[in-house]
Amino acid sequence: MNDQPGEALEVLRGVWSAQEQTAADLDDDCGNTKTCKRMADVGFGGMAGPDEDLRTAWRDGLAREGKLSPEGSSVADLVLGPAEGH
């Protein structure tokens, strides 16, 4: 399953070669597809209502989506596993 993107890329390269397309041709057809990497004004502040803190809003959203796990209580717990001997 991990090899699927590599296989898809090889198929696309084969099609492009058969049609004698180059990267320049694709740029002409697709236009400017570069993404904006300016992230200074990106945040989660809009998640919380006027009387709700961000942490509560985040947990409520996860609960609504069925993604809230009662086992993990912090990012460290999720990454490293629950600490033993609390």
Side-chain angles (χ1 to χ4, degrees):
M1 189 159 146
N2 290 340
D3 198 34
Q4 288 177 349
E7 290 175 13
L9 185 58
E10 290 304 315
V11 169
L12 287 174
R13 286 182 178 152
V15 170
W16 294 332
S17 294
Q19 295 177 351
E20 297 179 357
Q21 282 184 305
T22 65
D25 295 328
L26 293 173
D27 287 341
D28 289 342
D29 291 341
C30 297
N32 182 5
T33 59
K34 293 185 180 184
T35 59
C36 176
K37 294 187 173 60
R38 186 173 173 273
M39 301 295 288
D41 298 322
V42 175
F44 298 100
M47 288 182 69
D51 298 328
E52 185 178 34
D53 70 317
L54 183 57
R55 178 176 288 180
T56 302
W58 187 267
R59 287 187 183 274
D60 290 348
L62 290 174
R64 276 191 309 274
E65 296 171 5
K67 298 177 183 175
L68 185 61
S69 173
E71 288 104 36
S73 61
S74 70
V75 172
D77 288 345
L78 293 173
V79 173
L80 304 173
E84 293 183 25
H86 279 291

